[in-house]
């Protein structure tokens, strides 16, 4: 199932009307099921490192997004993904001031699945459903 960047922008505007900075790298995306997303997250290494101001939440969020993209590219290279599915997942990283109801300046990951939007804590891969009242996001890169 494919979703366009225009559809993603419309959904984001509905969910987070205050979201001002949206960078989408592709015109279309391949929606995963939640199980497919979980398998791709499980294949990514969870880095135990954390060094404030050196390797913190933002590096973990970028690394998680890139690990999933790299994994899919490697699968495509091995012929495990048909060319009709050579699209990135709508998985990106966000910056905000509240996550899952907790006020903090933080980076996390976000993904649009077939069932809807999910937030992902990049260091633990914990998943929750975003809510405008519980997640204040001001920047998204996908």
């Amino acid at each position: 199932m494919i979703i366009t960047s225009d559809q993603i922008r419309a959904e984001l505007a509905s969910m987070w009307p205050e979201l001002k900075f949206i960078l989408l790298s592709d015109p279309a995306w391949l929606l995963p099921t939640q199980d497919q997303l979980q398998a791709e997250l499980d294949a990514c290494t969870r880095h135990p490192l954390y060094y404030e101001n050196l390797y913190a939440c933002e590096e973990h969020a970028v690394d998680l997004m890139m690990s999933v993209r790299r994994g899919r590219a490697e699968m495509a290279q091995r012929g495990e993904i048909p060319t009709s599915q050579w699209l990135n997942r709508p998985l990106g990283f966000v910056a905000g001031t509240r996550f899952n109801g907790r006020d903090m300046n933080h980076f996390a990951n976000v993904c649009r699945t077939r069932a809807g939007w999910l937030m992902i804590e990049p260091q633990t891969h914990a998943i929750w459903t975003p809510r405008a009242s519980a997640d204040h996001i001001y920047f998204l890169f996908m």
Side-chain angles (χ1 to χ4, degrees):
M1 183 174 197
I2 294 173
I3 189 169
T4 67
S5 284
D6 289 341
Q7 290 170 295
I8 285 177
R9 283 184 191 281
E11 289 181 10
L12 290 170
S14 175
M15 183 167 50
W16 289 311
E18 303 286 321
L19 178 57
K20 301 291 184 215
F21 303 101
I22 303 171
L23 300 170
L24 302 177
S25 64
D26 295 320
W29 310 82
L30 185 64
L31 291 173
T33 65
Q34 190 166 344
D35 288 342
Q36 288 170 324
L37 174 64
Q38 188 64 59
E40 290 172 355
L41 295 175
D42 289 345
C44 297
T45 303
R46 290 185 182 123
H47 297 287
L49 12 141
Y50 176 88
Y51 295 99
E52 190 171 346
N53 301 320
L54 180 63
Y55 198 89
C57 58
E58 61 271 27
E59 287 82 16
H60 283 274
V62 171
D63 190 39
L64 182 62
M65 180 188 77
M66 293 310 302
S67 292
V68 169
R69 287 188 180 195
R70 186 179 313 106
R72 287 188 51 75
E74 289 168 354
M75 289 173 69
Q77 186 178 37
R78 292 190 302 266
E80 297 170 7
I81 298 176
T83 56
S84 63
Q85 294 184 18
W86 282 13
L87 296 169
N88 280 317
R89 299 291 194 210
L91 170 69
F93 62 88
V94 295
T97 57
R98 178 179 292 163
F99 289 86
N100 207 13
R102 187 170 160 218
D103 290 333
M104 66 177 121
N105 289 313
H106 189 52
F107 279 68
N109 294 94
V110 65
C111 187
R112 175 58 161 84
T113 68
R114 291 180 188 183
W117 288 93
L118 296 175
M119 298 289 291
I120 305 156
E121 173 55 44
Q123 291 146 308
T124 65
H125 299 182
I127 294 174
W128 71 95
T129 302
R131 298 179 325 241
S133 62
D135 300 287
H136 294 174
I137 306 303
Y138 59 82
F139 175 87
L140 178 142
F141 175 87
M142 183 179 290

